[in-house]
Amino acid sequence: MNNSTGCSANATVCNGASCVVAQNNFNDILSVVLSTVLTILLAMVMFSMGCNVEIKKFLGHIKRPWGICVGFLCQFGIMPLTGFILSVAFDILPLQAVVVLIMGCCPGGTASNILAYWVDGDMDLSISMTTCSTLLALGMMPLCLFIYTKMWVDSGTIVIPFDNIGTSLVALVVPVSIGMLVNHKWPQKAKIILKVGSITGAILIVLIAVVGGILYQSAWIIAPKLWIIGTLFPLAGYSLGFLLARISGQSWHRCRTVALETGMQNTQLCSTIVQLSFTQEELNVVFTFPLIYSIFQLAFAAIFLGIYVAYKKCYEKNNAEFPESKDNETVSESSLYKVNEGFQPDAK
């Protein structure tokens, strides 16, 4: 290439003093590679989570889906409504409001299954809720976005990647199903796989957050109101999910499960929808919001996990000193199931 015009040596098109330099797509390549690796790792982790799911109990949730219905109400009732209220309350730009609502309309993320294990939640309910919310998202996402975004934008401009939702569903159902089969056939080996997978899952959650921060560090300049909403939104999801589950008569471990399933959204799906629906100029204003939400949903989940672990240690200590208190709690716990006869106390 002739450099007499002052063009860069790697310029691809020159017209007088005007040059076009080939785009550096290193970040794009890195993103694809890391996305592939993380998807494989996530599938392995979900396989290990499936090793803690009993086929009989899982089918019990499907046949008597009271817990799933509560989760459905939280996922596609509370979260979109909360996103709408926050958008109106903070009077954000229409474009920003739409992105907040897209986040609220997304199904639950698979990270909730990993965290449900760490807080001694109901893994059978957690897996069934994530599976059902992802499946129902095929119809509920367009409906919720039509209802809540029409005051700001034509809902037809929002592109919902049904293929991505389908891929997420397959990536969840297949490894979990294999894990359930392993647990049914070889329960002792399943326990070992579960321990390894739970630790790997915790590391994976942190890794995803770090990688996201590195890849999109240039987009951290964002409206302060979105920072506040990104903080309050997951906190509201966890709190309202737990409250509704408790009001509906769910046991404590199921309340923790529903809370995590409600507040822990599929932020990767939200990012995909945002990229498909908006121009590059519009993306500069809102693209980082899914990452902000992801960071705070993980931060609050970590805080809740720390509180639960501390409580658990104190409870076990008190139980050792006052063993009669355990009998009193058993009576109290069983009374909750009279409110919700769809589920019976799990046999220990």
Side-chain angles (χ1 to χ4, degrees):
M1 171 108 26
N2 184 5
N3 287 329
S4 59
T5 59
C7 286
S8 172
N10 61 341
T12 55
V13 179
C14 287
N15 184 11
S18 177
C19 303
V20 177
V21 181
Q23 183 181 2
N24 184 357
N25 60 348
F26 173 75
N27 256 21
D28 294 338
I29 296 173
L30 180 62
S31 179
V32 171
V33 172
L34 288 176
S35 177
T36 304
V37 172
L38 291 176
T39 300
I40 295 172
L41 288 174
L42 185 60
M44 294 172 65
V45 169
M46 293 314 298
F47 162 68
S48 68
M49 293 296 103
C51 289
N52 196 39
V53 176
E54 296 181 23
I55 297 176
K56 184 178 179 181
K57 291 182 180 179
F58 180 82
L59 293 177
H61 284 296
I62 302 298
K63 291 177 181 177
R64 294 177 293 182
W66 177 238
I68 295 176
C69 290
V70 173
F72 171 81
L73 182 59
C74 291
Q75 193 70 63
F76 297 110
I78 287 178
M79 291 303 284
L81 180 60
T82 302
F84 179 79
I85 292 172
L86 288 172
S87 299
V88 173
F90 284 92
D91 192 26
I92 56 180
L93 298 173
L95 181 64
Q96 296 170 337
V98 170
V99 175
V100 171
L101 284 164
I102 290 173
M103 176 61 73
C105 295
C106 283
T110 50
S112 60
N113 308 129
I114 301 169
L115 288 163
Y117 170 79
W118 284 105
V119 298
D120 298 327
D122 187 334
M123 287 302 298
D124 307 284
L125 177 61
S126 179
I127 296 293
S128 59
M129 279 183 64
T130 303
T131 304
C132 290
S133 70
T134 304
L135 180 62
L136 293 171
L138 294 169
M140 290 305 300
M141 280 193 73
L143 177 61
C144 290
L145 288 171
F146 172 76
I147 293 172
Y148 288 106
T149 64
K150 60 183 178 181
M151 69 175 288
W152 288 296
V153 69
D154 180 9
S155 59
T157 61
I158 302 174
V159 181
I160 298 177
F162 293 102
D163 54 340
N164 286 52
I165 297 175
T167 301
S168 298
L169 190 61
V170 172
L172 171 67
V173 172
V174 173
V176 167
S177 300
I178 297 173
M180 291 169 62
L181 180 62
V182 170
N183 187 32
H184 181 70
K185 295 286 187 180
W186 306 283
Q188 294 304 318
K189 292 181 179 179
K191 290 180 181 178
I192 298 173
I193 295 172
L194 177 63
K195 289 181 180 179
V196 175
S198 62
I199 296 172
T200 305
I203 296 172
L204 183 61
I205 289 174
V206 176
L207 182 61
I208 291 174
V210 172
V211 168
I214 293 173
L215 284 178
Y216 305 112
Q217 56 184 332
S218 60
W220 280 105
I221 301 175
I222 196 169
K225 289 182 180 180
L226 286 183
W227 277 98
I228 298 173
I229 293 175
T231 306
L232 295 177
F233 203 175
L235 181 60
Y238 290 135
S239 304
L240 294 174
F242 187 92
L243 181 63
L244 184 61
R246 194 59 187 163
I247 291 173
S248 66
Q250 298 295 303
S251 59
W252 289 110
H253 74 299
R254 286 188 176 128
C255 288
R256 295 192 295 271
T257 304
V258 172
L260 287 171
E261 290 293 330
T262 304
M264 192 72 67
Q265 297 291 82
N266 191 334
T267 54
Q268 293 90 348
L269 178 60
C270 179
S271 296
T272 302
I273 295 174
V274 170
Q275 289 181 72
L276 291 174
S277 303
F278 302 114
T279 64
Q280 186 59 48
E281 184 179 349
E282 292 171 332
L283 286 176
N284 293 334
V285 181
V286 297
F287 182 67
T288 315
F289 180 76
L291 183 59
I292 292 174
Y293 186 98
S294 179
I295 289 172
F296 283 107
Q297 75 175 3
L298 292 175
F300 284 123
I303 292 172
F304 296 152
L305 176 59
I307 293 173
Y308 173 72
V309 171
Y311 166 79
K312 186 178 177 182
K313 288 183 178 180
C314 291
Y315 175 79
E316 289 175 349
K317 183 179 179 181
N318 291 337
N319 240 13
E321 295 176 359
F322 307 102
E324 67 276 6
S325 64
K326 186 174 182 181
D327 297 330
N328 294 335
E329 173 156 341
T330 303
V331 175
S332 175
E333 183 81 2
S334 62
S335 66
L336 291 172
Y337 292 94
K338 294 179 181 178
V339 179
N340 173 20
E341 295 179 352
F343 294 119
Q344 298 301 321
D346 297 330
K348 300 292 184 183

